[in-house]
Amino acid sequence: MMVSALIERELAESLPIRNGVFVAVVGPSGAGKDTVIGYAKARFAGETRLEFVRRVITRASDAASEDHDTLADAAFAEAEADGAFSLCWDAHGLRYGLPADVDWAVANGHVAVANVSRAVIPALRERYANMAVVEITAAPEILAERLAARGRESRGEVLARLARSTSVKLTGPDVTSIDNSGDKETAGERFAEVLRKAMACSDLSDMI
């Protein structure tokens, strides 16, 4: 359920939002971000402190992509103007948004987990006092193989995505890099450990 635009504006006036933790999952296309997130979602089924964010994208859902909500371009722009999103960005010719109730979740001590663009990390660090950035990576040949298997892009588009994957470097004590070139259990358990630490941090924040 989305919070109202009024509540969203009230939260925006008291940035950065505290109490909980925002976990930003980033990485190049083909690295397996959705796979790792899905593993953690199953691993922590029933854990009420974790909120796995369902993104809104101006792209129709299909079996080969993440499970997300879809809006047409005009409807997305209208929703953005109405304060329906905590954060929006453009990438690959599409628009992406995180629902405004992410702010409510973090403000109430929850851990919100979302797949986001690396380009919005500075904005997220300004918005949320407690951040964890998880960069999912994979060997270049693995990335190329996975992108080709999706069949959604030409060879030139695949090469362009791979080139972009090395254009943004993330640094900082809140960044954890996880190699997902192998089995999903290995990467998934490393990600699960990050989420356990985020939940512990949230518990401590509630005590302050």
Side-chain angles (χ1 to χ4, degrees):
M1 178 178 66
M2 288 197 176
V3 296
S4 69
L6 175 61
I7 295 175
E8 197 276 339
R9 286 194 294 270
E10 288 176 349
L11 284 169
E13 291 173 359
S14 58
L15 297 180
I17 299 168
R18 303 182 182 278
N19 300 327
V21 181
F22 187 94
V23 179
V25 181
V26 301
S29 297
K33 298 184 292 293
D34 292 330
T35 298
V36 174
I37 291 173
Y39 179 92
K41 192 172 183 179
R43 185 79 164 78
F44 293 105
E47 175 53 74
T48 58
R49 290 175 295 175
L50 282 175
E51 301 274 353
F52 291 92
V53 180
R54 185 181 175 92
R55 303 192 299 181
V56 180
I57 309 175
T58 55
R59 177 184 67 205
S61 297
D62 60 67
S65 66
E66 70 173 288
D67 186 21
H68 63 266
D69 290 328
T70 301
L71 284 178
D73 290 328
F76 190 103
E78 183 178 350
E80 182 180 13
D82 288 342
F85 305 119
S86 61
L87 190 73
C88 300
W89 67 94
D90 300 340
H92 318 305
L94 300 170
R95 302 218 64 199
Y96 295 77
L98 301 182
D101 55 7
V102 172
D103 288 348
W104 181 93
V106 175
N108 283 272
H110 291 201
V111 175
V113 183
N115 177 355
V116 303
S117 167
R118 282 170 291 188
V120 302
I121 294 300
L124 287 168
R125 283 174 171 156
E126 290 183 0
R127 192 171 191 86
Y128 303 109
N130 303 313
M131 276 275 295
V133 180
V134 180
E135 184 176 32
I136 308 297
T137 65
E141 61 273 17
I142 298 293
L143 294 176
E145 180 181 334
R146 290 173 180 169
L147 288 173
R150 296 195 311 191
R152 295 206 305 253
E153 299 161 308
S154 67
R155 182 175 182 277
E157 289 170 330
V158 168
L159 292 174
R161 276 186 178 265
L162 292 175
R164 283 195 298 270
S165 72
T166 60
S167 64
V168 179
K169 299 297 183 182
L170 293 175
T171 58
D174 59 355
V175 178
T176 299
S177 183
I178 298 176
D179 190 327
N180 189 34
S181 298
D183 61 272
K184 67 178 181 181
E185 288 77 15
T186 299
E189 284 302 318
R190 285 204 62 200
F191 184 49
E193 183 58 29
V194 173
L195 297 184
R196 291 189 190 95
K197 291 179 180 178
M199 285 187 283
C201 177
S202 178
D203 289 341
L204 291 174
S205 295
D206 290 342
M207 296 171 62
I208 298 175

